[in-house]
Amino acid sequence: MGFLEILLEAVYPSGIYCISCGSMIDSSRDYALCDSCMERFHWVGAKTCDVCGKILADDYGHRLCWDCRQFGHDFDKGYTCVQYGLLERGVLMDYKYRGKSYIGRKLGQILYDRMEAEDVEYDLIVPVPMHERRRADRGYNQAEVMARVMAGKKNVPCAQGMLIRKKATEAMKGLGFVERYENMQNVFAVSPENHYTIAGKRILLVDDIYTTGSTLDACSRVLKEAGAAAVYVLTFACGANVPPAEMRQHL
Ligand SMILES: [Zn+2]
Ligand SMILES: [Zn+2]
């Protein structure tokens, strides 16, 4: 824990207040969520997209989500924990924009439990990198905090220096699938100094949110080019499964 995190932990002890609504809770809870928030979160259920892992409604009549029915992906399979709604958004906003890095440790626990429920093996965990300048502004990379928690629990390396982000990209809110894809071209590279062997490795890429998958696809492409045997992607939250015309309004 860094000095700032220790201070924050003292001011906002992570185990005593619900990370979503702030009500007091029993400190032994793994996710630091109260009963009411646990119930109101849109947790992943039985039905998910066979490719990207997006949460599907029970009465949706296909095995693939709307965008996976139209476009392919560069990763092998995706997994997610919750669908992005008001409560989930609130937690992510606190985590990413209000300096509450301790929330990442709770989300890391959720991500870990999510993958333990699947029969998937991986050799390395790679957080989606932020641009250096943005990381310096925020003080932490939200994907990396979660990835480190997972790596510690799973006892596999967290290769946080493996990928580098060459360009800071603008927020992609309002962009369609193709525009997002184009926006993410040549953004990521495998670090020349990276000391991990990628060839033949099964990689778990970790990020906070999955919308169309363009960021995760871009990372997966460079990892596959460097010889990764498989790339799985794991996010805390996914966007709703909505028809393509509505994608632009979403998130
Ligand atoms: Zn709560
Ligand atoms: Zn899908």
Side-chain angles (χ1 to χ4, degrees):
M1 238 195 278
F3 178 66
L4 270 178
E5 277 187 273
I6 291 168
L7 277 184
L8 277 167
E9 182 73 33
V11 182
Y12 307 103
S14 57
I16 299 179
Y17 298 102
C18 171
I19 56 172
S20 176
C21 70
S23 66
M24 278 189 95
I25 51 167
D26 165 359
S27 62
S28 65
R29 286 166 183 257
D30 281 346
Y31 304 162
L33 286 167
C34 72
D35 287 340
S36 161
C37 291
M38 276 299 285
E39 220 169 88
R40 287 157 68 206
F41 263 49
H42 304 90
W43 298 103
V44 62
K47 202 163 174 184
T48 55
C49 172
D50 281 354
V51 176
C52 74
K54 193 173 269 192
I55 297 168
L56 305 176
D58 291 338
D59 60 355
Y60 177 73
H62 305 277
R63 296 180 64 90
L64 301 186
C65 72
W66 283 104
D67 53 317
C68 288
R69 286 167 64 201
Q70 295 201 84
F71 303 102
H73 287 293
D74 296 289
F75 54 82
D76 292 277
K77 178 126 176 58
Y79 303 89
T80 196
C81 307
V82 296
Q83 187 170 305
Y84 195 77
L86 275 182
L87 289 188
E88 295 82 356
R89 178 175 185 274
V91 170
L92 281 178
M93 296 294 272
D94 276 352
Y95 177 35
K96 289 163 70 172
Y97 303 116
R98 299 188 187 110
K100 299 182 181 179
S101 63
Y102 62 85
I103 290 177
R105 296 200 296 278
K106 304 302 174 191
L107 302 185
Q109 176 73 47
I110 295 174
L111 291 182
Y112 173 76
D113 289 347
R114 175 72 187 89
M115 283 319 279
E116 287 300 285
E118 298 289 339
D119 192 19
V120 179
E121 291 302 320
Y122 46 92
D123 311 298
L124 281 176
I125 301 179
V126 177
V128 169
M130 288 172 84
H131 191 263
E132 258 326 296
R133 198 172 60 237
R134 291 224 172 121
R135 191 185 187 286
D137 286 347
R138 187 169 300 172
Y140 53 93
N141 169 358
Q142 69 273 5
E144 187 183 320
V145 177
M146 302 188 294
R148 280 178 190 269
V149 171
M150 286 198 74
K153 290 184 169 292
K154 188 75 180 169
N155 203 20
V156 298
C158 174
Q160 69 268 5
M162 180 189 275
L163 278 181
I164 48 173
R165 193 168 193 135
K166 297 187 289 182
K167 289 193 266 189
T169 45
E170 296 310 312
M172 294 199 283
K173 184 172 172 158
L175 296 185
F177 196 97
V178 173
E179 293 157 301
R180 284 173 184 247
Y181 179 92
E182 284 167 359
N183 204 30
M184 294 313 292
Q185 288 289 82
N186 303 314
V187 170
F188 298 101
V190 170
S191 162
E193 297 104 58
N194 116 77
H195 56 280
Y196 297 98
T197 308
I198 302 178
K201 290 286 176 6
R202 297 161 299 182
I203 292 174
L204 182 69
L205 255 180
V206 171
D207 206 0
D208 54 342
I209 188 154
Y210 183 100
T211 309
T212 63
S214 54
T215 302
L216 292 147
D217 275 330
C219 291
S220 301
R221 281 196 293 280
V222 296
L223 291 169
K224 288 271 176 95
E225 279 163 21
V231 180
Y232 306 110
V233 306
L234 171 65
T235 53
F236 170 63
C238 70
N241 177 36
V242 288
E246 292 172 36
M247 290 295 293
R248 283 164 184 276
Q249 279 89 54
H250 186 66
L251 292 182

